[in-house]
Amino acid sequence: MENFHSKNDDALFEKIFFSVYEDLPRQGPGNASSAARALELCRDLPSSPTILDMGCGVGGQTIQLAELLPAASITAIDTHAPGIARLQKTVRERGLQDRIVAIEGDMADPAILPGRFDLLWSEGALYNLGLHRALLRCYELLHPGGYLAFSDAIWRRENPPPEVKASFDLDYPEMGWLQDDLTLINVSGLDLVGHFTLPDEAWWDDFYTPMETRIQELRRVRAGEPEALAVLDLLAREPDMHRHYQDFYCYEFFVARRPL
């Protein structure tokens, strides 16, 4: 939250941040083809699997899972109430109330999510708990033989530019390398099934391109508000950073399985 220190400034940043992110199809990198590729690695799913989408945001990937697995029952959870409200609205509009339940809550709280699932899904969200803690929690939530599919940001080149290092240090200071994530999967008791790097279009189609469009819309709406424009300039750095420095980091999609 660079250059925003007072409570009023923090409140303005948060308001504009959510004005941008809540309007997006996704709140992080991902796309339907990558979801389908990850599901192909889950070869022994039941015909009607029970799925938990952890850190679902507004549910772009939740809806895609429902389309890719038409017999699945999906629970989607996130701590951000407006995102859950938007997903609930989408579920009603699409007539999916009998297949998708969206709840506001903490995915780390065992009281909220009793029972076990055939598939846990989390796109870019597990790091919020600390990846090791999150993987242990996932182990608990899976049926024996159940799958975990998750994406996580990792480094791919040494010595990133200071701008890139500072950005990730702010949001994900524990971010590691591919081998770090593979080690954590192993020590958490899960068996690695496979992994792949998200393609660049997964960053742009449903995330950064609509983000830049939304930022431009808000710049017009708030043209006479210097403080708001400064926040929008700050948010615009993220897609621009990716445009110039994507070789230094990536999102990796992992599929693991709780042993039978």
Side-chain angles (χ1 to χ4, degrees):
M1 201 173 292
E2 180 183 339
N3 296 328
F4 291 84
H5 303 294
S6 73
K7 289 184 178 179
N8 287 340
D9 286 340
D10 286 353
L12 177 64
F13 181 94
E14 183 173 307
K15 180 178 180 180
I16 294 177
F17 177 89
F18 285 118
S19 293
V20 172
Y21 275 78
E22 287 174 1
D23 192 65
L24 305 180
R26 287 175 171 265
Q27 284 64 57
N31 60 7
S33 61
S34 296
R37 183 175 176 183
L39 286 173
E40 287 175 358
L41 295 171
C42 304
R43 297 182 182 91
D44 296 321
L45 275 179
S47 57
S48 301
T50 56
I51 301 174
L52 174 62
D53 184 3
M54 306 172 74
C56 63
V58 301
Q61 72 290 330
T62 315
I63 300 300
Q64 287 177 346
L65 282 171
E67 294 170 345
L68 290 165
L69 296 170
S73 297
I74 304 173
T75 301
I77 186 169
D78 200 281
T79 57
H80 188 55
I84 290 295
R86 178 173 163 185
L87 175 54
Q88 290 170 338
K89 182 174 182 288
T90 302
V91 167
R92 290 192 301 270
E93 290 173 347
R94 299 197 177 202
L96 294 171
Q97 299 95 318
D98 59 335
R99 297 188 50 219
I100 298 176
V101 176
I103 58 175
E104 177 190 352
D106 183 352
M107 59 188 173
D109 185 349
I112 293 177
L113 296 170
R116 291 179 176 175
F117 296 85
D118 299 310
L119 172 62
L120 302 184
W121 195 271
S122 188
E123 297 197 31
L126 290 187
Y127 81 96
N128 288 296
L129 301 182
L131 187 57
H132 189 203
R133 179 189 176 205
L135 292 172
L136 292 172
R137 175 70 173 133
C138 289
Y139 183 96
E140 295 172 352
L141 287 166
L142 283 171
H143 285 297
Y147 291 91
L148 165 64
F150 74 98
S151 61
D152 191 42
I154 59 172
W155 295 111
R156 66 196 306 185
R157 278 182 61 185
E158 298 275 2
N159 302 315
E163 174 188 351
V164 177
K165 184 69 165 60
S167 177
F168 281 103
D169 281 351
L170 184 66
D171 191 49
Y172 192 5
E174 299 86 14
M175 181 171 138
W177 297 77
L178 174 61
Q179 188 56 52
D180 297 317
D181 280 26
L182 296 178
T183 298
L184 288 177
I185 289 170
N186 181 59
V187 301
S188 300
L190 298 164
D191 293 334
L192 179 71
V193 177
H195 62 91
F196 59 90
T197 302
L198 285 183
D200 199 48
E201 59 265 25
W203 291 78
W204 289 103
D205 292 350
D206 292 332
F207 185 40
Y208 280 156
T209 296
M211 179 192 293
E212 290 188 323
T213 299
R214 178 62 175 156
I215 287 171
Q216 289 303 320
E217 290 172 354
L218 290 173
R219 278 179 172 145
R220 290 191 291 270
V221 170
R222 293 180 171 268
E225 305 173 46
E227 296 85 358
L229 292 174
V231 176
L232 291 169
D233 288 343
L234 186 60
L235 295 176
R237 292 181 189 177
E238 183 181 340
D240 195 54
M241 181 183 77
H242 185 77
R243 188 176 282 113
H244 290 94
Y245 301 121
Q246 59 186 280
D247 290 345
F248 287 91
Y249 58 91
C250 67
Y251 258 61
E252 195 77 3
F253 218 128
F254 300 89
V255 176
R257 194 178 190 189
R258 176 170 171 168
L260 286 165

